[in-house]
Amino acid sequence: RGYPREYYSSSVLGFVVIAAVSKYVKLPFIPVRLKAQRRTSFFFIVALLWAFIASLLLFGAGQYFNLDLWKVYENRSSSAAVLPDFFGYISPWVAKALCPLALILSVQLRSVRLVVLIVLINTLIFGLTNHKMTLFTPAIVIVAYVLVNRRITGLQIAKSYCAMAIILIGAHGAGAYWAV
């Protein structure tokens, strides 16, 4: 996006600091062990996601529906222009919190149908908002879930994310459009 190199290096440095701090600072963990609680939470989140999709359609974002990765920047501003300003605050929470949480719960419930449902919901949200993150979230969440369940240390995960960031920055520097 034309940011100076300091932007990328400060982003990577910020991640390394967060990874290092998270290794030494223990946060309380509240597990959801009962399958009924997971199922209830999952269906509540899915209801919120459908309400979000319905509101996008209600405000007219459906006219800019796009599944072509090469045209996201052409349609993103048009679809955002028809939405009220508060969607700028809601959309990141939906894409970065609710969708991954629903996917994790569907994996924990061991239901392929629910995983496919969440992937379809992410695809719909991508088509309506033209934000690529919602399209790639399922793959990132599933890989992270598998890594966490293999008892890999936080430092190994941090190294993996740093390597991924370096690869993406290098690809973007080489002109790869998909790395934007």
Side-chain angles (χ1 to χ4, degrees):
R1 293 188 180 192
Y3 294 121
R5 292 180 190 250
E6 290 83 16
Y7 171 79
Y8 297 110
S9 56
S10 64
S11 295
V12 171
L13 178 65
F15 176 79
V16 170
V17 168
I18 290 171
V21 168
S22 67
K23 181 175 179 167
Y24 298 108
V25 177
K26 298 295 180 188
L27 297 175
F29 178 71
I30 304 170
V32 180
R33 295 177 190 226
L34 299 175
K35 196 170 187 175
Q37 288 177 336
R38 282 188 224 149
R39 189 171 297 280
T40 304
S41 299
F42 174 79
F43 287 116
F44 177 72
I45 292 169
V46 168
L48 288 175
L49 291 173
W50 281 118
F52 178 72
I53 290 170
S55 63
L56 287 172
L57 291 171
L58 181 69
F59 285 110
Q63 63 186 339
Y64 299 104
F65 187 80
N66 170 43
L67 293 177
D68 187 356
L69 281 173
W70 308 115
K71 295 182 181 178
V72 291
Y73 296 115
E74 296 170 16
N75 295 327
R76 184 181 297 174
S77 59
S78 301
S79 67
V82 298
L83 298 173
D85 291 338
F86 65 87
F87 272 91
Y89 298 104
I90 295 173
S91 294
W93 282 96
V94 168
K96 296 175 185 172
L98 290 181
C99 288
L101 183 58
L103 186 61
I104 289 170
L105 288 172
S106 65
V107 169
Q108 286 180 342
L109 290 169
R110 301 195 186 287
S111 173
V112 175
R113 290 180 187 163
L114 296 180
V115 171
V116 169
L117 173 69
I118 296 303
V119 170
L120 289 175
I121 288 173
N122 277 335
T123 305
L124 275 174
I125 292 173
F126 163 72
L128 292 169
T129 63
N130 289 289
H131 287 281
K132 291 186 281 188
M133 183 63 189
T134 56
L135 192 61
F136 299 124
T137 297
I140 293 168
V141 168
I142 290 173
V143 167
Y145 185 82
V146 168
L147 289 176
V148 167
N149 286 327
R150 289 196 176 194
R151 305 286 183 219
I152 295 175
T153 66
L155 185 58
Q156 289 170 325
I157 293 173
K159 288 178 183 177
S160 300
Y161 279 125
C162 286
M164 186 171 53
I166 290 168
I167 290 169
L168 288 174
I169 291 169
H172 177 66
Y177 182 78
W178 56 269
V180 177

